[in-house]
Amino acid sequence: MDRHKHRYVVVVDLPGAFLHARFDNNEIVHMRLEGVMAESMVRVAPEIYGKYMSNDKKGKTVLTVKLARALYGCLKSSVKFWQLLTEMLHEEGFTPNLGIDF
């Protein structure tokens, strides 16, 4: 379609892009860690995570954490990164093309 419409398209990959997007204080996103990942977090910082560790009905270790930054794979993270990217591009003088016809 882009070629047919004579559009110039550029695709980029931004390494660690989601880590630049932060959640606001009023946005709460929790992530559930299970098994080895949960146990590893508690081993690394027991004073922080130990009190939040529990076991599910099957005895698997579970740790629920609150995310401060966007994490790849979460829908809300995608939205936060899109907002950040849009804001940064706007500050650099880019404007959205509102006349796109598909």
Side-chain angles (χ1 to χ4, degrees), residues 29-33 37 41 63-67 71 74:
V29 178
H30 289 102
M31 180 175 68
R32 177 183 165 120
L33 303 173
M37 181 60 79
M41 293 291 287
L63 176 65
T64 303
V65 296
K66 178 183 172 189
L67 299 179
L71 184 67
C74 296

Side-chain angles (χ1 to χ4, degrees), residues 13-21 69-72 81 84:
D13 182 18
L14 304 172
F18 282 82
L19 297 177
H20 296 284
R69 293 181 181 262
L71 184 67
Y72 184 79
F81 177 70
L84 175 65

Side-chain angles (χ1 to χ4, degrees), residues 28-86:
I28 298 174
V29 178
H30 289 102
M31 180 175 68
R32 177 183 165 120
L33 303 173
E34 299 177 347
V36 175
M37 181 60 79
E39 292 165 1
S40 297
M41 293 291 287
V42 173
R43 241 182 275 120
V44 168
E47 66 285 352
I48 296 172
Y49 300 110
K51 59 186 171 188
Y52 301 109
M53 189 175 74
S54 63
N55 295 313
D56 65 9
K57 294 177 184 176
K58 296 180 181 177
K60 186 185 288 185
T61 304
V62 176
L63 176 65
T64 303
V65 296
K66 178 183 172 189
L67 299 179
R69 293 181 181 262
L71 184 67
Y72 184 79
C74 296
L75 180 60
K76 194 160 193 146
S77 298
S78 299
V79 172
K80 290 304 292 182
F81 177 70
W82 180 254
Q83 290 170 342
L84 175 65
L85 179 61
T86 302

